[in-house]
Amino acid sequence: MRIGQLAQLVGVETQTIRFYEQQGLLPPPDRQDNGYRVYTEKHGEGLAFIRRCRILGLSLAEIHELQSYQDDPHQPCTAVNALLDDHISHVRSQITALQALEKQLVSLRASCNDDREVEACGILAGISEGNMHQQ
Amino acid sequence: MRIGQLAQLVGVETQTIRFYEQQGLLPPPDRQDNGYRVYTEKHGEGLAFIRRCRILGLSLAEIHELQSYQDDPHQPCTAVNALLDDHISHVRSQITALQALEKQLVSLRASCNDDREVEACGILAGISEGNMHQQ
DNA sequence: TAAAACTATAAAGCTACTATAAGGTCAATA
DNA sequence: TATTGACCTTATAGTAGCTTTATAGTTTTA
Ligand SMILES: [Zn+2]
Ligand SMILES: [Zn+2]
Ligand SMILES: [Zn+2]
Ligand SMILES: [Zn+2]
C-alpha cells in the first residue's frame, strides 16, 4: 500500500502521514526501490489510532505517551486512565473559561445598539475604559 | 517612559511590546539618541486596549480592525457591533464543541477502572476499536 | 571600574499541521 | 516516442501569538 492509498483509507493528507512519521508517531515504513513508502495494515491501524486521539483533542505528546504504554502491555493501566482524567479536566477548564468569556462579551455587547457613531460606541468605550469584570 | 517601565505598567513583557509594534498594532515610538524607545501615555492606553481585547479573546487581526474603526470616529459603529457578534458566535461554537468532546471523553473514561493491565484497558480498547460516537 | 540591569536586533522555537517548490517515477496516450 | 498526468520524493516556509535565545551595546549601581 502506497502513501496515497493509506491517506485515502484513513482520510488524511499524505503530508500529514509523513509528518507523523517525522514526529515519531508512525514507524518508518519499508521503501520500494524507487524510494516510495510501502505501508502495511498495521500502519493503517496506527494511523487510525492517532486520528481518533486527535479527534478526542489529545496532543501529539499525549498520543506518544499512550503509545509508550501500549508497548508495555502488562503494566497496570493507571497511567492511561490518569492521562484521560487530566485531559478531561483540561477540557473542562477550557469550557469554564469560555463560558466566563461569553458572559463578558454578551454584557459588553449589550452596552451598544446599532445607531451610534464609532465615537460613541458602547463597546469600544467599554474596552477602552477597562471596566471589564475580572474573571 | 522606556519600554521596561511601560511593560511593568501594563503587565506585559518587553518583547511583547516590540512584537505589537512590529505587527502594526502599536505606533512606533520616538527613539533616544542611543536607540531606546520612548513611550508616551497614549502608547500606554493603546497597549492596555490591546491587552483587554486579547483577554476578550479577540485576535490580533480583529484588534487591528477595531483600531481602524477608531481612526474614523464619525462612521456608524455597526461594524464594531458586528465584529463582536461574530466573535461571540465563535466563542459559543467553541463551547458547544468542547461540551460534546467532554461527553465523549467521560463516556470513554467510564469504560475502565484502575485495576487492569494496559492490554485490557477499556480506554485504549475504546480508542483502538473506533466505537466513538460521531459528533 | 566593574558588575548588574536594561536596551537593541535578529532568529529560532512552540503546535499541528498545510502549502509550496523543485524534482523523480510510472502508466497510458497521441 | 514523446508527452501528459497522476503519483511519489525532499526541503522549506507559512499559520497565531507570542516566548526564548543569541549577541551586542548602554546605563545604573556598588
Ligand atoms: Zn490534554
Ligand atoms: Zn457600537
Ligand atoms: Zn473572534
Ligand atoms: Zn485503563
Side-chain angles (χ1 to χ4, degrees), chain A residues 94-114:
Chain A
Q94 276 185 263
I95 291 172
T96 305
L98 284 173
Q99 282 170 336
L101 184 56
E102 187 200 357
K103 257 195 185 170
Q104 271 191 73
L105 288 168
V106 166
S107 103
L108 189 61
R109 179 62 183 89
S111 66
C112 194
N113 55 40
D114 277 355

Side-chain angles (χ1 to χ4, degrees), chain A residues 52 69 73-77 81 85 92 99 102 106 109 113-114 116-119 123 127-128 130, chain B residues 52 69 73-77 81 85 92 99 101-102 106 109 113-114 116-119 123 127-128 130:
Chain A
R52 287 191 215 104
Y69 299 142
H74 290 293
Q75 295 290 114
C77 74
N81 304 347
D85 284 335
R92 284 187 174 144
Q99 282 170 336
E102 187 200 357
V106 166
R109 179 62 183 89
N113 55 40
D114 277 355
R116 304 191 191 175
E117 290 186 354
V118 161
E119 213 171 30
I123 292 169
I127 300 176
S128 296
Chain B
R52 288 192 215 101
Y69 299 142
H74 291 294
Q75 296 290 116
C77 74
N81 303 348
D85 284 335
R92 284 187 175 145
Q99 283 170 335
L101 185 56
E102 188 200 356
V106 166
R109 179 62 182 88
N113 54 39
D114 277 354
R116 306 192 190 174
E117 291 187 355
V118 161
E119 214 171 29
I123 291 168
I127 300 176
S128 295

Side-chain angles (χ1 to χ4, degrees), chain A residues 16 19-20 25 47-63 87, chain B residues 101 127 132:
Chain A
T16 305
F19 172 73
Y20 288 153
L25 292 170
L47 181 55
F49 181 85
I50 295 171
R51 285 274 89 191
R52 287 191 215 104
C53 287
R54 293 293 299 128
I55 288 168
L56 293 172
L58 296 171
S59 67
L60 299 192
E62 286 168 325
I63 296 170
H87 188 61
Chain B
L101 185 56
I127 300 176
M132 287 158 46

Side-chain angles (χ1 to χ4, degrees), chain B residues 3-46:
Chain B
I3 197 168
Q5 301 170 264
L6 177 61
Q8 198 173 10
L9 186 67
V10 182
V12 181
E13 306 234 7
T14 55
Q15 301 99 313
T16 305
I17 296 174
R18 294 192 197 100
F19 172 73
Y20 288 153
E21 178 185 338
Q22 186 199 326
Q23 300 297 303
L25 293 170
L26 264 186
D30 287 341
R31 302 283 186 130
Q32 289 179 349
D33 291 347
N34 56 18
Y36 288 14
R37 292 170 174 82
V38 187
Y39 292 98
T40 66
E41 231 174 275
K42 282 221 168 181
H43 287 98
E45 289 164 24

Side-chain angles (χ1 to χ4, degrees), chain B residues 16-127:
Chain B
T16 305
I17 296 174
R18 294 192 197 100
F19 172 73
Y20 288 153
E21 178 185 338
Q22 186 199 326
Q23 300 297 303
L25 293 170
L26 264 186
D30 287 341
R31 302 283 186 130
Q32 289 179 349
D33 291 347
N34 56 18
Y36 288 14
R37 292 170 174 82
V38 187
Y39 292 98
T40 66
E41 231 174 275
K42 282 221 168 181
H43 287 98
E45 289 164 24
L47 182 55
F49 180 84
I50 295 171
R51 284 275 90 191
R52 288 192 215 101
C53 286
R54 293 292 301 129
I55 289 169
L56 293 172
L58 296 170
S59 68
L60 299 191
E62 286 169 325
I63 296 170
H64 204 78
E65 202 179 327
L66 286 183
Q67 290 177 333
S68 78
Y69 299 142
Q70 286 178 317
D71 293 342
D72 219 339
H74 291 294
Q75 296 290 116
C77 74
T78 331
V80 175
N81 303 348
L83 190 153
L84 211 71
D85 284 335
D86 282 357
H87 188 61
I88 289 172
S89 68
H90 286 164
V91 169
R92 284 187 175 145
S93 63
Q94 276 185 264
I95 291 173
T96 305
L98 284 172
Q99 283 170 335
L101 185 56
E102 188 200 356
K103 255 195 186 171
Q104 271 191 72
L105 288 167
V106 166
S107 105
L108 189 60
R109 179 62 182 88
S111 67
C112 193
N113 54 39
D114 277 354
D115 299 318
R116 306 192 190 174
E117 291 187 355
V118 161
E119 214 171 29
C121 174
I123 291 168
L124 287 177
I127 300 176

